[in-house]
Structures are given as structure tokens and as C-alpha cells.
Amino acid sequence: MFDEKGEKYLDCINNVAHVGHSHPYVIKAATKQMELLNTNSRFLHDNLVQYAQRLTATLPEKLSVCYFVNSGSEANDLALRLARQYHGHQDVITLENAYHGHVTSLIDISPYKFNQLGKDSKKEFVHVAPSPDIYRGKYREDHPDPASAYAEEVKKIIEETQKNGRKIAAFIAESMQSCGGQVIPPVGYFQKVAEYVRAVGGVFIADEVQVGFGRVGKHFWAFQLQGEDFVPDIVTMGKPIGNGHPMSCVVTTREIAESFGASGMEYFNTFGGNPVSCAIGLAVLDVIEQEDLQGNATRVGNYLLELLAEQKEKHPLVGDIRGVGLFVGVDLVKDQQKRTPATAEALHLIYKLKEHQILLSADGPHRNILKFKPPMCFTMEDAKHVVETIDALLTEIEEATGMKTENNASTNAQYKRKTIEGSSQSEGANESISHMNGAACRQENGLYSRKCSLPSETIRT
């Protein structure tokens, strides 16, 4: 990325510019279609049919009906409507620290948002299950079967709601939690949850808005990390689908779609699936395939994880490294045994990286997780550069705060984590430096001024 003065920045966080900022192939496809026709999507166009065919070809066979909309929030809102119409149920189970969108219906099911409004902000039809985080959660990496243990927590919620005469419409989860702290659910968790939810007439919604379209490398969709035997009932998409162009999609089964259509209320979206959006979507799929961006995500992601693992051995501030493909989290801690979040240190590091013209962000419930989710064209040279810079900055922070620079090898071994498909495990991601917790910035911590402010420079892509 370049600012108005021509200064170059390395973008490590922008999962919206999925195949790269201003990719010429995508721009050409958009321009060509704009010159021909763009129209209300009430009128069928070949691009719509072709894109639906290409998109559903990447998914399990039963996920065959597409609804095209304009943003991830709109997709998740429609997914809720589909789920509630299916059996007439209303209640939703969501996860701790989850974020699913900015419209009212989604703030209601996003603890990441509604918890900021106070303890009475949760609606009675919303039920919050523990985040399946095996580093910071209720059941950790030393548990013999964390997937089953976390799924049992969902089962308990279902049983309790039934006692109170309520009915579950859906369980919704990001396939890998981003804003919640780069959390990768243990394998088998989704299968068990889906079994419990479907048994009471609910559906499983997989939110792929942050992590879909090959970001995990080996698979096109992050929910596929759970195994071939897991298929969601509804999948929502956004952000990377249009490489920055506002488009999104909901894909579901024919059975759920027919139930929705039987409601008597026609669903229509003026811009969803318009010819230009679908031309762009097709171009993004072409680039992912032609440039082997899934392969790149695997190769560069594994290399990034290796480099970061070396930093964990060197720096007491690094508590955990987790990731799959180009979705990686670095959990910064003040104490490795207690896993005390290093919130101020993470924020300081983010600002110092920007001074070095590297864009990264921090998130999670404690704002202490460094989140990597760069464009899929991220290279090994890029990975090496950012990690070398982080290494130097961590050394500065540890010296300034008096932290011991030698790491306890036995402590590291104690918390070393199993990997998924050759990578370590990962937590969620966020969108921009400006999204970080301003309260942390106002703390007195010896690292930066009490009156520090957010960067104000305009960054142009």
C-alpha cells in the first residue's frame, strides 16, 4: 500500500483485498462489465448463473442455493431469517466474543459488541456458549477431549432453553474466530454441536466472512478444517469475495431455501448479484486458481508460523502462536504461566510497527492478540521482514519493562500446542488499526504517552 506521499506500507491485516490491492485482472473484469451493462438484479444475467455455479462447485454438494447480497452483515442477517423461518424457532446460540455484523439483528448476537453496552444488554433469545479456545478458554490444551467438552456446553444451553419453553433456531459461529482472538475450534467440535442443534430443529450457520476463499490454504473454506463429515446448513460469505467490491452471499440447502420461499414473503435484493458484482466475483475466483493462492497461503503461512515460533523461544512476551494458512495469531502475555494478557505492550507494538511502515492490528477480548490476515499474495520475504521487525521491537519492549529476556524452555514445552495440518493453531483477526481499544491507549504503562492518539495519516491503496 502507498500513502499520498508515495511511502510504501506492508499490509499484514487486509483480508478484504484478498488477491491483492487493485489487482489488474479484477479491475479489468469490473471495467469491462461496467462498459457493457449493470442493472437491477431482478433481470437475470449470465454472470449471475455462472458465478453461482462456480461458487457452489467449491462447496459440499448439498449447499446448492445462493442468495447474493452486498455485505457480510447483510449475509448474516439473511441467514438468521432463513434459520428462523425453517422451523419457526427464534432463539440463537452464539459464542463468547463473537462478532457477526453491525446491523441490529447481528449486534444482538455479537457479544463482542453488546457486552460494551452493559450486563443487561443480552436479549432473552440469545444464548452465549464458551469460545472453543484451548489456550485461554475453559478447556485447554491439556484436556483429553476439548472438542467434546466445549460441545457439551452447547448441549447444556439447549437443555436449559427447552426447560424454559424456548426453541433454538440456530447456532452461529465463525469457522475461525477473528475478532474473538484468532481462535481455531478443536477438530470435531462443529460436528458435535451440529448434532445437538439439529436434534432440536435448529440449523448450523458457518460464518466465513473473515476466513473463506482459500485463506486456510489446503481447503477453500475454513469449516472444512473440521473434516469431510461436517457440512453446515448455511454458509455466509463477504469481505474477500469481491476483493474490496461490496458483495456477499448466503449459500444453503434446497430444503431450507424452499421453506423460506414458502413463507409467502418474496425475497428480493436490488444490487445483490448484479452483473458487475458477479464479474468481479468470477475474476477473484480466477485469480485464486491461476496464481495458486491457496498453495501460497499454505507455504507462506507455514513459514510465518515457523518464524514466529522462533520468537516464542526468544521472547517471554510471546505466550502462544496459532494459525492456519494466512490466518495467524500471536498471543502476547506478561506472564507465560498465568497467561496474563499484555494489552499495553501489544498496542505499543502495533504503533511502533506502523512507524516502520508495517500495518498490523491487535484484537481479542483483551486486545493482546496480534492478528495476521494479509492479502493472499503475501510472500516469504514479507513474512521474514515483519517478523524480524517484531523481534527487534519485542527486545526493546522487554528491555524497557525489565522483563527477563531468557525464556524458560520447560515452560515453553508445557504450553506447546498441537498443529492443524502442519500448522499451529490460530485465533481471530480484525480490520484496521483504528479498531483497537482506545482505553488501552490512555493507560500509563511506561511505553508511550498518556495522551497518545490514533494515527491520523490518510493511507491510500
Side-chain angles (χ1 to χ4, degrees), residues 275-402:
V276 171
S277 292
C278 289
I280 290 170
L282 285 164
V284 170
L285 294 179
D286 286 343
V287 174
I288 292 172
E289 182 178 339
Q290 292 167 9
E291 299 185 7
D292 187 26
L293 293 185
Q294 280 187 252
N296 188 68
T298 297
R299 293 185 294 272
V300 177
N302 286 344
Y303 180 59
L304 176 60
L305 286 165
E306 290 172 8
L307 295 176
L308 290 169
E310 293 173 5
Q311 301 310 306
K312 186 175 184 294
E313 298 298 320
K314 292 175 62 176
H315 296 288
L317 269 171
V318 180
D320 189 44
I321 306 294
R322 45 189 177 263
V324 179
L326 288 175
F327 184 83
V328 174
V330 180
D331 196 315
L332 298 185
V333 298
K334 294 180 180 179
D335 184 297
Q336 292 206 359
Q337 290 186 334
K338 296 179 181 178
R339 306 186 182 186
T340 311
T343 301
E345 290 80 359
L347 185 60
H348 179 73
L349 180 62
I350 294 302
Y351 286 131
K352 296 299 289 185
L353 282 169
K354 186 172 183 294
E355 291 178 6
H356 288 268
Q357 296 172 299
I358 295 172
L359 304 179
L360 193 63
S361 66
D363 216 327
H366 306 289
R367 297 293 194 273
N368 69 307
I369 313 296
L370 305 182
K371 302 189 314 175
F372 289 85
K373 49 173 192 173
M376 295 276 281
C377 54
F378 205 68
T379 67
M380 290 191 179
E381 291 75 16
D382 295 332
K384 188 171 187 292
H385 173 55
V386 67
V387 175
E388 285 178 347
T389 308
I390 288 173
D391 182 15
L393 292 173
L394 286 175
T395 299
E396 290 179 7
I397 293 171
E398 288 165 352
E399 289 177 353
T401 57

Side-chain angles (χ1 to χ4, degrees), residues 138-139 149 151-161 196:
K138 185 174 182 178
Y139 307 107
E152 282 296 314
E153 295 290 330
V154 176
K155 185 179 181 181
K156 291 175 187 175
I157 289 173
I158 293 172
E159 291 170 348
E160 187 65 26
T161 57
Y196 299 147

